Amino acid sequence: QVQLVESGGGLVQPGESHRLSCTASGITFSLYGMGWYRQAPGKQRELVAHITSGGSTNYADSVKGRFTISRDNAKNAVFLQMNSLKPEDTAVYYCNANLGGEYYWGKGTLVTVSS
């Protein structure tokens, strides 16, 4: 079965940095695009960052310049480095794997940015 497992959620102070990880199994990882999405209370799920199988990246305007997505195909892992965190970054962050029309999702990990 396909599994995506996020880790690294927790409480972070504004202005600090944090890193999320997602490990995938059950897929040929190197062929998939990988993304990070987030959903804040009362809001729709939104794309935060995406990295293609070839390594091309794109980011939501709200995080551009602060967040960096990367992948390690040897470890079947994708990461989200989050710098200069703001309270509005508080959300459940979800890992996504995509190929063609198929999407797989992790269960999410909560990041709370608060002093």
Side-chain angles (χ1 to χ4, degrees):
Q1 62 179 6
V2 177
Q3 284 191 306
L4 302 176
V5 181
E6 302 97 338
S7 62
L11 177 63
V12 189
Q13 295 186 67
E16 295 298 306
S17 297
H18 202 68
R19 191 175 85 152
L20 302 179
S21 300
C22 172
T23 300
S25 60
I27 61 172
T28 305
F29 183 82
S30 63
L31 298 180
Y32 281 73
M34 301 296 299
W36 287 98
Y37 290 70
R38 69 186 181 188
Q39 187 165 26
K43 297 184 178 180
Q44 294 185 326
R45 187 177 298 189
E46 64 174 349
L47 175 67
V48 177
H50 185 264
I51 184 166
T52 69
S53 60
S56 298
T57 60
N58 64 276
Y59 300 89
D61 288 342
S62 59
V63 307
K64 203 166 189 176
R66 298 189 297 122
F67 289 13
T68 303
I69 188 170
S70 61
R71 65 191 296 160
D72 186 340
N73 289 343
K75 297 180 178 179
N76 283 11
V78 62
F79 309 96
L80 185 67
Q81 178 66 44
M82 305 182 292
N83 298 330
S84 302
L85 282 161
K86 305 174 180 179
E88 49 262 48
D89 294 319
T90 296
V92 177
Y93 284 73
Y94 297 90
C95 180
N96 164 265
N98 54 94
L99 181 63
E102 300 297 325
Y103 273 52
Y104 298 102
W105 295 93
K107 294 186 180 296
T109 187
L110 176 63
V111 175
T112 302
V113 184
S114 177
S115 59

